[in-house]
Amino acid sequence: MGGFDGVEIDVMLTRDGYWVVHHDSVTGRATGRSDGKHFRMSRIKAEQWNSLVVRDKDGQLSQERAPYAIDVFKRWANSYQLGQQLNIEIKQDADIVELNHLLKMARQSLPQGSYFFSSLELDVLKKVRELDSNIYLGYVWEPHSSSIAEVKAVARKATKSDVLYQKYQRQINWVSDYEARKRSRSKSQKYSAKTVREALGLNSGLHVDIRSFVGAPTIYSRSKQAGLAKVVTYSINGSDFHQSQLLALKNMARPLPDQAIMDTSKFEICHRLYPNLASQQVNYQPITELGRVVMSLPNDANFSLLQEQQMYLRDQHYITANGQIRSLKEPAVKPKAAVTQPHQPTTSAVYIPEDEELNLELTPINIEIPN
């Protein structure tokens, strides 16, 4: 019932030319074998890929084989709802023949308008544009240096604790893979909005770390002036931090991004950004149990804990947004109205809230932010 507007997957090429769905540069975390053998994705072949299975949420090897891109495309086509999109992030360089094969699979398997491509590599996206003049392409800026430093700090702590390491392993692997890619480049890859627009055309966008978005007050206006269709934010420091930055932007009367990629429900982010929406009366009849939970909760509830709320509601209680347990019979605490600051010149200082703890329990989703 939390809903999502999209799903992000990472695709890579095997050495013999097959597109597979995988995030890390080495197997072992999300996929594995019973004998514990790992493979480098830059060297793996289809025969070795076929020997891998997916790990479940508890990290145990399942009976599900490691997926090829075509497998995920077919699943998406059978389960997506109108308006949802599959963000296919291309994680490595590929020639135009290999990219044409990927695009052909997507066209044959996925409904038109239900998918798009993104990448850290502008040259890859330029090749995709040669093959398709209409599809949306998102150029991903490298993470902000402070975001990487934050993950490294967590990684140092995680090495002292198996529990912490398992919890933050995805982020740790992400930074390790990113820095390996960066060392192979001869220069920075943060191309300007104007350059992206010239290279990819009108139906393209800039996907930036939320720190970069907050730290550059004119990035949204410059991107729109350049003719980009979207400005999208992401964070490698967790959804709580990402949401806190969006809330700070709103309170400063700064433009919000067109979309935000984060691991949370739409209810949680909308509750934090637009709390009054939860109190509006609408002609809506929930058809699921979690939908009924949402409609039963007061405005000050934590909408990210719907399963837990379901248990508390049976006893006429609920969990508030600040973590307290409150009776439904008590008057709900009205959220404080956000204080809108006068519009500041682009040279004014930007307030950046303190980093919050990473939360990696959920799968990434793409959320539309109301204007």
CSV table of all heavy atoms in Angstrom, one decimal, residues 21-62:
chain,number,residue,atom,x,y,z
A,21,VAL,N,21.6,-8.9,-14.6
A,21,VAL,CA,21.3,-7.9,-13.6
A,21,VAL,C,22.1,-8.2,-12.4
A,21,VAL,O,22.1,-9.2,-11.7
A,21,VAL,CB,19.8,-8.1,-13.2
A,21,VAL,CG1,19.4,-7.1,-12.1
A,21,VAL,CG2,18.9,-7.8,-14.4
A,22,HIS,N,23.0,-7.2,-12.1
A,22,HIS,CA,23.9,-7.3,-10.9
A,22,HIS,C,24.4,-5.9,-10.6
A,22,HIS,O,24.6,-5.1,-11.5
A,22,HIS,CB,25.1,-8.2,-11.3
A,22,HIS,CG,25.8,-8.8,-10.1
A,22,HIS,ND1,27.0,-8.3,-9.6
A,22,HIS,CD2,25.4,-9.9,-9.3
A,22,HIS,CE1,27.3,-9.1,-8.5
A,22,HIS,NE2,26.4,-10.0,-8.4
A,23,HIS,N,24.7,-5.7,-9.3
A,23,HIS,CA,25.2,-4.4,-8.9
A,23,HIS,C,26.7,-4.3,-8.6
A,23,HIS,O,27.3,-3.4,-9.0
A,23,HIS,CB,24.4,-4.0,-7.6
A,23,HIS,CG,24.9,-2.7,-7.0
A,23,HIS,ND1,25.9,-2.6,-6.1
A,23,HIS,CD2,24.4,-1.4,-7.1
A,23,HIS,CE1,26.1,-1.3,-5.8
A,23,HIS,NE2,25.2,-0.6,-6.4
A,24,ASP,N,27.2,-5.3,-7.9
A,24,ASP,CA,28.6,-5.2,-7.4
A,24,ASP,C,29.5,-5.7,-8.5
A,24,ASP,O,29.1,-6.4,-9.5
A,24,ASP,CB,28.8,-6.1,-6.2
A,24,ASP,CG,27.9,-5.7,-5.1
A,24,ASP,OD1,27.4,-4.6,-5.1
A,24,ASP,OD2,27.6,-6.5,-4.2
A,25,SER,N,30.8,-5.3,-8.4
A,25,SER,CA,31.8,-5.8,-9.4
A,25,SER,C,32.3,-7.2,-9.2
A,25,SER,O,32.9,-7.8,-10.0
A,25,SER,CB,33.0,-4.8,-9.3
A,25,SER,OG,33.6,-4.9,-8.0
A,26,VAL,N,31.9,-7.7,-8.0
A,26,VAL,CA,32.3,-9.1,-7.7
A,26,VAL,C,31.0,-9.8,-7.1
A,26,VAL,O,30.2,-9.3,-6.4
A,26,VAL,CB,33.4,-9.2,-6.6
A,26,VAL,CG1,33.7,-10.6,-6.3
A,26,VAL,CG2,34.6,-8.4,-7.1
A,27,THR,N,30.9,-11.1,-7.5
A,27,THR,CA,29.7,-11.9,-7.0
A,27,THR,C,30.0,-12.2,-5.5
A,27,THR,O,31.1,-12.2,-5.0
A,27,THR,CB,29.5,-13.2,-7.8
A,27,THR,OG1,30.7,-14.0,-7.6
A,27,THR,CG2,29.3,-12.8,-9.3
A,28,GLY,N,28.9,-12.6,-4.8
A,28,GLY,CA,29.1,-13.1,-3.5
A,28,GLY,C,28.1,-12.5,-2.5
A,28,GLY,O,27.6,-13.1,-1.6
A,29,ARG,N,27.8,-11.2,-2.7
A,29,ARG,CA,26.8,-10.5,-1.7
A,29,ARG,C,25.4,-10.8,-2.1
A,29,ARG,O,24.6,-11.3,-1.3
A,29,ARG,CB,27.1,-9.0,-1.7
A,29,ARG,CG,26.1,-8.3,-0.8
A,29,ARG,CD,26.3,-6.8,-0.9
A,29,ARG,NE,26.0,-6.2,-2.2
A,29,ARG,CZ,24.7,-5.8,-2.4
A,29,ARG,NH1,23.7,-5.9,-1.6
A,29,ARG,NH2,24.4,-5.4,-3.7
A,30,ALA,N,25.0,-10.4,-3.3
A,30,ALA,CA,23.6,-10.6,-3.7
A,30,ALA,C,23.4,-12.0,-4.4
A,30,ALA,O,22.3,-12.5,-4.5
A,30,ALA,CB,23.2,-9.5,-4.7
A,31,THR,N,24.5,-12.5,-5.0
A,31,THR,CA,24.5,-13.8,-5.7
A,31,THR,C,25.6,-14.7,-5.1
A,31,THR,O,26.6,-14.1,-4.6
A,31,THR,CB,24.6,-13.7,-7.2
A,31,THR,OG1,25.9,-13.0,-7.4
A,31,THR,CG2,23.5,-12.9,-7.8
A,32,GLY,N,25.5,-16.0,-5.2
A,32,GLY,CA,26.6,-16.8,-4.7
A,32,GLY,C,26.4,-18.3,-5.1
A,32,GLY,O,25.5,-18.6,-5.8
A,33,ARG,N,27.4,-19.1,-4.7
A,33,ARG,CA,27.4,-20.5,-5.0
A,33,ARG,C,27.6,-21.2,-3.6
A,33,ARG,O,28.2,-20.7,-2.7
A,33,ARG,CB,28.5,-20.9,-5.9
A,33,ARG,CG,28.4,-20.3,-7.3
A,33,ARG,CD,29.2,-21.0,-8.4
A,33,ARG,NE,30.4,-21.7,-8.0
A,33,ARG,CZ,31.2,-22.3,-8.9
A,33,ARG,NH1,30.9,-22.3,-10.1
A,33,ARG,NH2,32.3,-23.0,-8.5
A,34,SER,N,27.2,-22.5,-3.6
A,34,SER,CA,27.3,-23.3,-2.4
A,34,SER,C,28.8,-23.5,-2.0
A,34,SER,O,29.1,-23.7,-0.8
A,34,SER,CB,26.6,-24.6,-2.5
A,34,SER,OG,27.1,-25.3,-3.6
A,35,ASP,N,29.7,-23.5,-3.0
A,35,ASP,CA,31.1,-23.7,-2.6
A,35,ASP,C,31.8,-22.4,-2.2
A,35,ASP,O,33.0,-22.4,-1.9
A,35,ASP,CB,31.8,-24.4,-3.8
A,35,ASP,CG,31.8,-23.5,-5.1
A,35,ASP,OD1,31.3,-22.4,-5.0
A,35,ASP,OD2,32.3,-24.0,-6.1
A,36,GLY,N,31.1,-21.3,-2.3
A,36,GLY,CA,31.6,-20.0,-1.9
A,36,GLY,C,32.5,-19.3,-2.9
A,36,GLY,O,33.1,-18.3,-2.6
A,37,LYS,N,32.6,-19.8,-4.1
A,37,LYS,CA,33.5,-19.2,-5.1
A,37,LYS,C,32.9,-17.9,-5.6
A,37,LYS,O,31.7,-17.8,-5.9
A,37,LYS,CB,33.7,-20.2,-6.2
A,37,LYS,CG,34.7,-19.7,-7.3
A,37,LYS,CD,35.0,-20.8,-8.3
A,37,LYS,CE,36.1,-20.3,-9.3
A,37,LYS,NZ,36.4,-21.3,-10.3
A,38,HIS,N,33.8,-16.9,-5.7
A,38,HIS,CA,33.4,-15.6,-6.2
A,38,HIS,C,33.9,-15.4,-7.6
A,38,HIS,O,35.0,-16.0,-8.0
A,38,HIS,CB,33.9,-14.5,-5.3
A,38,HIS,CG,33.2,-14.5,-4.0
A,38,HIS,ND1,33.6,-13.7,-2.9
A,38,HIS,CD2,32.3,-15.3,-3.4
A,38,HIS,CE1,32.9,-13.9,-1.9
A,38,HIS,NE2,32.1,-15.0,-2.1
A,39,PHE,N,33.3,-14.5,-8.4
A,39,PHE,CA,33.7,-14.2,-9.7
A,39,PHE,C,33.7,-12.7,-9.9
A,39,PHE,O,32.9,-12.0,-9.4
A,39,PHE,CB,32.8,-14.8,-10.8
A,39,PHE,CG,32.7,-16.3,-10.8
A,39,PHE,CD1,31.7,-16.9,-10.1
A,39,PHE,CD2,33.7,-17.1,-11.4
A,39,PHE,CE1,31.6,-18.3,-10.0
A,39,PHE,CE2,33.6,-18.5,-11.4
A,39,PHE,CZ,32.6,-19.1,-10.7
A,40,ARG,N,34.7,-12.2,-10.6
A,40,ARG,CA,34.7,-10.8,-11.0
A,40,ARG,C,33.8,-10.6,-12.2
A,40,ARG,O,33.9,-11.4,-13.2
A,40,ARG,CB,36.1,-10.3,-11.4
A,40,ARG,CG,37.0,-10.1,-10.2
A,40,ARG,CD,38.2,-9.1,-10.5
A,40,ARG,NE,38.8,-8.8,-9.3
A,40,ARG,CZ,38.5,-7.8,-8.5
A,40,ARG,NH1,37.4,-7.0,-8.8
A,40,ARG,NH2,39.1,-7.5,-7.4
A,41,MET,N,32.9,-9.6,-12.2
A,41,MET,CA,31.9,-9.4,-13.2
A,41,MET,C,32.6,-9.0,-14.5
A,41,MET,O,32.0,-9.3,-15.6
A,41,MET,CB,30.9,-8.4,-12.8
A,41,MET,CG,30.0,-8.8,-11.7
A,41,MET,SD,29.0,-10.3,-12.1
A,41,MET,CE,28.1,-9.7,-13.5
A,42,SER,N,33.8,-8.4,-14.5
A,42,SER,CA,34.5,-8.1,-15.7
A,42,SER,C,35.0,-9.3,-16.5
A,42,SER,O,35.4,-9.2,-17.6
A,42,SER,CB,35.6,-7.1,-15.4
A,42,SER,OG,36.5,-7.7,-14.5
A,43,ARG,N,35.1,-10.4,-15.8
A,43,ARG,CA,35.6,-11.6,-16.4
A,43,ARG,C,34.6,-12.8,-16.5
A,43,ARG,O,34.9,-13.8,-17.2
A,43,ARG,CB,36.8,-12.1,-15.6
A,43,ARG,CG,37.9,-11.1,-15.5
A,43,ARG,CD,39.0,-11.6,-14.5
A,43,ARG,NE,40.1,-10.5,-14.3
A,43,ARG,CZ,41.0,-10.7,-13.4
A,43,ARG,NH1,41.1,-11.7,-12.7
A,43,ARG,NH2,41.9,-9.7,-13.3
A,44,ILE,N,33.5,-12.7,-15.8
A,44,ILE,CA,32.6,-13.8,-15.8
A,44,ILE,C,32.0,-14.1,-17.1
A,44,ILE,O,31.7,-13.2,-18.0
A,44,ILE,CB,31.4,-13.5,-14.7
A,44,ILE,CG1,30.7,-14.8,-14.4
A,44,ILE,CG2,30.5,-12.5,-15.3
A,44,ILE,CD1,29.8,-14.6,-13.2
A,45,LYS,N,31.7,-15.4,-17.4
A,45,LYS,CA,31.1,-15.8,-18.6
A,45,LYS,C,29.7,-16.4,-18.3
A,45,LYS,O,29.4,-16.7,-17.1
A,45,LYS,CB,31.9,-16.9,-19.4
A,45,LYS,CG,33.2,-16.3,-19.9
A,45,LYS,CD,33.9,-17.3,-20.8
A,45,LYS,CE,35.2,-16.7,-21.4
A,45,LYS,NZ,35.9,-17.7,-22.3
A,46,ALA,N,28.9,-16.6,-19.3
A,46,ALA,CA,27.5,-17.1,-19.0
A,46,ALA,C,27.5,-18.4,-18.3
A,46,ALA,O,26.6,-18.7,-17.5
A,46,ALA,CB,26.8,-17.2,-20.4
A,47,GLU,N,28.4,-19.3,-18.6
A,47,GLU,CA,28.5,-20.6,-18.0
A,47,GLU,C,28.7,-20.5,-16.5
A,47,GLU,O,28.0,-21.2,-15.7
A,47,GLU,CB,29.6,-21.5,-18.6
A,47,GLU,CG,29.7,-22.9,-18.0
A,47,GLU,CD,30.8,-23.7,-18.7
A,47,GLU,OE1,31.5,-23.1,-19.5
A,47,GLU,OE2,31.0,-24.8,-18.3
A,48,GLN,N,29.5,-19.6,-16.1
A,48,GLN,CA,29.8,-19.3,-14.7
A,48,GLN,C,28.6,-18.6,-14.0
A,48,GLN,O,28.2,-18.9,-12.9
A,48,GLN,CB,31.0,-18.5,-14.5
A,48,GLN,CG,32.3,-19.2,-15.0
A,48,GLN,CD,33.5,-18.3,-15.1
A,48,GLN,OE1,33.3,-17.1,-15.5
A,48,GLN,NE2,34.7,-18.8,-14.8
A,49,TRP,N,28.0,-17.7,-14.8
A,49,TRP,CA,26.8,-16.9,-14.3
A,49,TRP,C,25.6,-17.9,-14.0
A,49,TRP,O,24.9,-17.8,-13.0
A,49,TRP,CB,26.4,-15.9,-15.3
A,49,TRP,CG,25.2,-15.1,-14.9
A,49,TRP,CD1,23.9,-15.3,-15.3
A,49,TRP,CD2,25.1,-14.0,-13.9
A,49,TRP,NE1,23.1,-14.3,-14.7
A,49,TRP,CE2,23.8,-13.6,-13.8
A,49,TRP,CE3,26.1,-13.4,-13.1
A,49,TRP,CZ2,23.4,-12.5,-13.0
A,49,TRP,CZ3,25.7,-12.4,-12.3
A,49,TRP,CH2,24.4,-12.0,-12.2
A,50,ASN,N,25.5,-19.0,-14.8
A,50,ASN,CA,24.4,-19.9,-14.7
A,50,ASN,C,24.6,-20.8,-13.4
A,50,ASN,O,23.7,-21.5,-13.0
A,50,ASN,CB,24.4,-20.8,-15.9
A,50,ASN,CG,23.9,-20.1,-17.1
A,50,ASN,OD1,23.2,-19.1,-17.0
A,50,ASN,ND2,24.2,-20.6,-18.3
A,51,SER,N,25.8,-20.8,-12.8
A,51,SER,CA,26.1,-21.6,-11.6
A,51,SER,C,25.7,-20.8,-10.4
A,51,SER,O,25.8,-21.4,-9.3
A,51,SER,CB,27.5,-22.0,-11.6
A,51,SER,OG,28.4,-20.9,-11.3
A,52,LEU,N,25.3,-19.5,-10.5
A,52,LEU,CA,25.0,-18.7,-9.3
A,52,LEU,C,23.5,-18.7,-9.0
A,52,LEU,O,22.7,-18.8,-9.9
A,52,LEU,CB,25.5,-17.2,-9.6
A,52,LEU,CG,27.0,-17.0,-9.9
A,52,LEU,CD1,27.2,-15.6,-10.3
A,52,LEU,CD2,27.8,-17.4,-8.7
A,53,VAL,N,23.2,-18.5,-7.7
A,53,VAL,CA,21.8,-18.3,-7.3
A,53,VAL,C,21.7,-17.0,-6.5
A,53,VAL,O,22.7,-16.5,-6.0
A,53,VAL,CB,21.3,-19.5,-6.5
A,53,VAL,CG1,21.3,-20.8,-7.3
A,53,VAL,CG2,22.2,-19.7,-5.2
A,54,VAL,N,20.5,-16.5,-6.4
A,54,VAL,CA,20.3,-15.3,-5.6
A,54,VAL,C,20.2,-15.6,-4.1
A,54,VAL,O,19.7,-16.6,-3.7
A,54,VAL,CB,18.9,-14.7,-6.1
A,54,VAL,CG1,18.6,-13.4,-5.3
A,54,VAL,CG2,19.0,-14.3,-7.6
A,55,ARG,N,20.7,-14.6,-3.4
A,55,ARG,CA,20.6,-14.7,-1.9
A,55,ARG,C,19.2,-14.1,-1.5
A,55,ARG,O,18.8,-13.1,-2.1
A,55,ARG,CB,21.7,-14.0,-1.2
A,55,ARG,CG,23.1,-14.7,-1.4
A,55,ARG,CD,24.1,-14.0,-0.5
A,55,ARG,NE,25.4,-14.6,-0.7
A,55,ARG,CZ,25.9,-15.7,-0.2
A,55,ARG,NH1,25.1,-16.4,0.6
A,55,ARG,NH2,27.1,-16.1,-0.5
A,56,ASP,N,18.6,-14.7,-0.4
A,56,ASP,CA,17.4,-14.1,0.0
A,56,ASP,C,17.6,-12.9,1.0
A,56,ASP,O,18.8,-12.5,1.2
A,56,ASP,CB,16.5,-15.2,0.7
A,56,ASP,CG,17.2,-15.8,1.9
A,56,ASP,OD1,18.1,-15.2,2.5
A,56,ASP,OD2,16.8,-16.9,2.3
A,57,LYS,N,16.6,-12.4,1.6
A,57,LYS,CA,16.7,-11.2,2.5
A,57,LYS,C,17.6,-11.5,3.7
A,57,LYS,O,18.2,-10.5,4.3
A,57,LYS,CB,15.4,-10.7,2.9
A,57,LYS,CG,14.5,-10.1,1.8
A,57,LYS,CD,13.2,-9.6,2.3
A,57,LYS,CE,12.4,-9.0,1.1
A,57,LYS,NZ,11.1,-8.5,1.6
A,58,ASP,N,17.7,-12.7,4.1
A,58,ASP,CA,18.6,-13.1,5.2
A,58,ASP,C,20.0,-13.5,4.8
A,58,ASP,O,20.8,-13.9,5.7
A,58,ASP,CB,17.9,-14.3,6.0
A,58,ASP,CG,16.5,-13.9,6.5
A,58,ASP,OD1,16.4,-12.8,7.0
A,58,ASP,OD2,15.6,-14.8,6.5
A,59,GLY,N,20.3,-13.3,3.5
A,59,GLY,CA,21.6,-13.6,3.1
A,59,GLY,C,21.9,-15.1,2.8
A,59,GLY,O,23.0,-15.5,2.4
A,60,GLN,N,20.8,-15.9,2.8
A,60,GLN,CA,21.0,-17.3,2.5
A,60,GLN,C,20.8,-17.6,1.0
A,60,GLN,O,20.0,-16.9,0.4
A,60,GLN,CB,20.0,-18.1,3.3
A,60,GLN,CG,20.1,-17.9,4.8
A,60,GLN,CD,21.4,-18.3,5.4
A,60,GLN,OE1,22.0,-19.4,5.1
A,60,GLN,NE2,22.0,-17.4,6.2
A,61,LEU,N,21.5,-18.6,0.5
A,61,LEU,CA,21.3,-19.0,-0.9
A,61,LEU,C,19.9,-19.5,-1.1
A,61,LEU,O,19.5,-20.4,-0.4
A,61,LEU,CB,22.4,-20.0,-1.3
A,61,LEU,CG,23.9,-19.5,-1.2
A,61,LEU,CD1,24.8,-20.6,-1.6
A,61,LEU,CD2,24.1,-18.3,-2.2
A,62,SER,N,19.3,-19.0,-2.2
A,62,SER,CA,17.9,-19.5,-2.5
A,62,SER,C,18.0,-20.5,-3.6
A,62,SER,O,19.1,-20.9,-4.0
A,62,SER,CB,17.1,-18.3,-2.9
A,62,SER,OG,17.5,-17.8,-4.2
